[in-house]
Amino acid sequence: MVFSNDNLKGFVLSLLSSGFIGSSFVIKKKGLRRAAAVSGVRAGVGGYTYLLEPLWWIGMITMIIGEVANFVAYAFAPAVLVTPLGALSIIVSAVLAHIILNEKLHPLGILGCVMCIAGSVIIIIHAPQEQPISSVQEIWNMATQPAFLLYVGSVIILVFILIFYFSPQCGHTNVVVFTGICSLMGSLSVMSVKALGTSLKLTFEGNNQLLYPETWFFMIVVATCVVTQMNYLNKALDTFNTALVSPIYYVMFTSLTILASVIMFKNTERENIECTTENFHVKNSKTHSREI
């Protein structure tokens, strides 16, 4: 794959983002432990005393910095390039958890991390060049395709089932429940972040997108998804080993994001291919006419 300047910017920002986000997992986990030791009520069972713990806020600020870098990266590069680079956060969180939290990473866990990274590299190498977008309304048209609306509806139904049925029953014994909620909501937040980031990028370039209600709608979706993700990610980190949460969350989140990206952008890519083919045939017909 040949990187364009925008893709290169997105690539570098994604690497920085992964470093910050990976370290934030461990810092927040340390803060959650301190808060639980003081109050006796853990975040995993509904406690919110960690909001008074300075260390947790340091971790939260670190995560915000990482997410801001990630947010900007989505404005420059396609989601299928940016999202897989989150594999670096697995290495960062696993190493720091081993050193700071004394959470041992077993050989099978190491093998899983290596496989995640190998898969990410393959995806990144074959990531497509992104088609230029001229307005937020283009992304809105993609987001309101029947196929993507079906995906959004399915995600919302699954999230409600996980929250209201599976979470009370087995949320504290099965890591997939909390991480599943985070990953499903994350796939929607990435698509909205992509739309919002592109809108802000176009606005700074002189093409004001803040005039369109679609921009504000995507902003509301991002805020809703992020708040839900943070709540259940805290529950997952407080309940399970960081070295277990990070890889599972990454794999589910990446898989669902790529799926959402394929569904959302495939029609646009098909139209571009058809346009290119049509132009090719027109040029050939003109050339043939001249020869005659």
Side-chain angles (χ1 to χ4, degrees):
M1 176 188 177
V2 179
F3 274 9
S4 64
N5 285 333
D6 280 353
N7 276 5
L8 184 59
K9 291 175 184 176
F11 177 79
V12 172
L13 286 167
S14 296
L15 290 179
L16 293 173
S17 169
S18 296
F20 280 107
I21 292 174
S23 58
S24 74
F25 281 141
V26 177
I27 298 171
K28 288 172 69 178
K29 178 67 179 277
K30 191 77 173 176
L32 289 170
R33 284 184 175 180
R34 282 191 183 179
V38 172
S39 66
V41 182
R42 297 174 57 184
V45 294
Y48 292 96
T49 53
Y50 60 83
L51 295 174
L52 302 176
E53 174 56 50
L55 189 60
W56 183 86
W57 281 106
I58 293 174
M60 190 64 187
I61 292 170
T62 304
M63 176 169 277
I64 290 172
I65 294 172
E67 292 295 351
V68 168
N70 206 37
F71 175 87
V72 178
Y74 280 113
F76 289 102
V80 292
L81 171 62
V82 174
T83 306
L85 286 169
L88 179 61
S89 67
I90 294 177
I91 301 174
V92 174
S93 62
V95 171
L96 291 179
H98 178 79
I99 296 171
I100 298 174
L101 302 176
N102 295 319
E103 295 182 353
K104 304 301 178 183
L105 188 61
H106 299 290
L108 192 60
I110 296 174
L111 175 62
C113 292
V114 171
M115 291 176 67
C116 289
I117 296 168
S120 298
V121 170
I122 293 172
I123 294 173
I124 291 166
I125 290 173
H126 297 284
Q129 293 289 335
E130 188 174 36
Q131 298 297 327
I133 297 173
S134 59
S135 73
V136 69
Q137 291 177 315
E138 286 186 34
I139 304 180
W140 177 259
N141 291 334
M142 299 176 202
T144 51
Q145 298 172 96
F148 189 72
L149 290 176
L150 178 62
Y151 175 79
V152 172
S154 301
V155 165
I156 293 173
I157 291 171
L158 285 173
V159 166
F160 271 92
I161 292 173
L162 287 172
I163 290 175
F164 294 108
Y165 181 76
F166 287 103
S167 181
Q169 292 189 14
C170 54
H172 296 89
T173 57
N174 192 328
V175 67
V176 175
V177 176
F178 292 151
T179 54
I181 295 169
C182 294
S183 302
L184 287 164
M185 295 299 289
S187 68
L188 297 184
S189 69
V190 165
M191 296 300 101
S192 300
V193 162
K194 177 66 180 174
L196 187 57
T198 303
S199 299
L200 294 177
K201 179 186 175 186
L202 291 170
T203 299
F204 291 139
E205 290 175 352
N207 185 4
N208 190 0
Q209 300 296 302
L210 299 178
L211 301 175
Y212 299 107
E214 291 88 346
T215 300
W216 298 99
F217 176 81
F218 284 125
M219 190 177 297
I220 293 171
V221 173
V222 169
T224 303
C225 291
V226 168
V227 169
T228 305
Q229 281 179 266
M230 289 300 100
N231 184 35
Y232 284 94
L233 183 58
N234 283 330
K235 291 179 182 291
L237 288 172
D238 186 60
T239 307
F240 303 99
N241 192 307
T242 306
L244 179 66
V245 172
S246 181
I248 292 176
Y249 174 52
Y250 164 73
V251 171
M252 295 176 67
F253 171 68
T254 302
S255 302
L256 289 167
T257 299
I258 292 175
L259 175 61
S261 182
V262 168
I263 294 172
M264 185 170 175
F265 293 103
K266 72 172 182 180
N267 285 351
T268 304
E269 291 174 0
R270 187 181 301 157
E271 288 172 5
N272 288 329
I273 292 172
E274 288 174 355
C275 288
T276 303
T277 305
E278 185 178 341
N279 291 335
F280 176 75
H281 287 312
V282 170
K283 287 179 181 178
N284 276 352
S285 63
K286 287 181 180 178
T287 303
H288 183 65
S289 300
R290 288 174 183 172
E291 288 175 353
I292 293 174

